Amino acid sequence: MTWRLPFFEALGDAQRILIAGAGGGFDVYAGLPLALSLMNEGRTVHLGSLSIVNLYEVNAWLEPGIAAVTPDTVAYSDYFPERALARWLALHRLPSTVFAFPRTGVRPLRTAYRRLAKRLDLDAIVLVDGGTDILMRGDEAALGTPVEDATSLAAVNGTPVATKLVAVIGFGVDAYHGVNHVQVLENIAALDRAGAYLGAFTVPSHGPEAALYRDAIAHARAVAPDRASIVNGQIAAALTGAAGDVPLDGRTGGTPLFVNPLMAMYFTFDLAGLAAQSLYLDRIRTTDDMLQVSHAIERFRDEITPRPRVPFPH
């Protein structure tokens, strides 16, 4: 018997796909294995990122709210994940423009996504999170770092594209930010009951996509060693078969890590179904900046009693 994952059924024959990092910084790298696989199928794949770089100093605007970062984009700092990725793509003779969005509230980010979707004539958007805190609905014991993820989720949910999906990779890495992964699993189960869970699959560690991804992470680390991605470092380590407390250049401050094979798996979801699970997304739809998003989430948290933290039973 042969099964085809619901995620790929949902993606269907979409030919023009944007894979966008939800949480800023290096999240776009978490979508790289999936992007490379889809490119190998002959699909046109664009990469996007909610940037934490000050794009107003970069002067790479394609149009308001959208920067087109290329290998030659000039910046004032070596820390520029989108440019590092563009340069790595160019080294491998791959399309080397990374579209970047400034850190704004939902309303301007939604406008930017709509403009880019129209410009690229997109069939699909896949929002990618390195880690799983985008799956937090709001009443968990801890939310990780929700502001950027929630902003991206709300913005893409309001973008008129035929297919909108979410893929998360790096199960367990958000423990570093206090996320209780029993509650992550509870949320996935609830999404499954609602018909929004589209299955999980492993990036083959001995495949070309994994090798290229590890190379991209090593390249980014060499460019800005003091700001290397802890999340992608753990995923890359998992894709070598490593397990346990794997050292990552001292950036974790001595906090023990638990690298494991689950970190190399994509968990996938229907984006509208995930957005419907959120208990506070309606409160941030009209925000103009991320400070407003942060305050709205804080006010929501002040009004509820969070679900108690639950230890893994085995």
Side-chain angles (χ1 to χ4, degrees):
M1 181 181 294
T2 301
W3 287 293
R4 191 178 185 205
L5 282 173
F7 173 80
F8 293 105
E9 293 284 357
L11 200 56
D13 58 359
Q15 292 300 309
R16 295 172 300 279
I17 304 165
L18 175 67
I19 294 183
F26 285 99
D27 262 6
V28 62
Y29 278 80
L32 198 53
L34 180 58
L36 293 167
S37 178
L38 294 172
M39 287 177 188
N40 287 338
E41 293 180 2
R43 309 197 202 204
T44 299
V45 179
H46 304 280
L47 294 168
S49 176
L50 180 64
S51 184
I52 61 175
V53 172
N54 184 357
L55 294 175
Y56 298 99
E57 295 180 348
V58 170
N59 193 27
W61 297 111
L62 182 65
E63 57 181 279
I66 308 167
V69 179
T70 70
D72 298 323
T73 298
V74 176
Y76 296 102
S77 170
D78 288 336
Y79 179 76
F80 194 170
E82 293 82 9
R83 186 182 62 180
L85 179 55
R87 289 179 173 178
W88 180 86
L89 291 165
L91 286 172
H92 290 269
R93 299 183 180 180
L94 294 166
S96 58
T97 296
V98 179
F99 298 100
F101 307 107
R103 294 179 78 252
T104 66
V106 172
R107 187 155 46 190
L109 184 59
R110 182 173 58 234
T111 298
Y113 264 106
R114 289 177 174 177
R115 287 174 174 164
L116 188 60
K118 184 176 181 180
R119 174 180 282 268
L120 300 178
D121 192 22
L122 295 176
D123 299 318
I125 298 175
V126 181
L127 201 58
V128 177
D129 185 25
T132 55
D133 53 357
I134 197 172
L135 305 181
M136 301 292 96
R137 67 188 193 187
D139 64 348
E140 294 80 8
L143 303 187
T145 54
V147 175
E148 289 88 353
D149 290 339
T151 302
S152 294
L153 181 62
V156 175
N157 192 44
T159 301
V161 170
T163 302
K164 294 177 287 190
L165 306 172
V166 172
V168 305
I169 187 171
F171 182 90
V173 301
D174 294 310
Y176 185 69
H177 289 121
V179 169
N180 179 217
H181 284 78
V182 171
Q183 293 180 336
V184 173
L185 295 173
E186 291 173 348
N187 289 0
I188 293 174
L191 287 161
D192 193 14
R193 293 192 297 272
Y197 177 45
L198 302 180
F201 55 93
T202 298
V203 177
S205 61
H206 297 289
E209 294 86 0
L212 286 167
Y213 168 74
R214 290 192 297 264
D215 186 72
I217 299 307
H219 174 269
R221 184 184 302 114
V223 170
D226 294 337
R227 300 288 298 276
S229 171
I230 295 171
V231 170
N232 283 285
Q234 291 181 76
I235 297 168
L239 283 169
T240 67
D245 189 12
V246 177
L248 293 177
D249 301 327
R251 285 206 63 217
T252 56
T255 302
L257 303 177
F258 180 51
V259 172
N260 64 85
L262 291 178
M263 290 182 175
M265 296 181 67
Y266 281 111
F267 293 81
T268 64
F269 307 88
D270 173 72
L271 188 143
L274 178 59
Q277 173 190 251
S278 174
L279 300 175
Y280 62 79
L281 215 63
D282 282 342
R283 300 187 180 207
I284 68 171
R285 293 186 194 280
T286 60
T287 54
D288 292 312
D289 59 59
M290 285 201 173
L291 185 59
Q292 292 174 346
V293 176
S294 179
H295 287 167
I297 296 173
E298 289 173 2
R299 285 193 296 271
F300 169 78
R301 293 285 287 178
D302 287 341
E303 296 170 9
I304 67 162
T305 300
R307 289 148 59 190
R309 188 175 295 275
V310 182
F312 274 101
H314 49 72

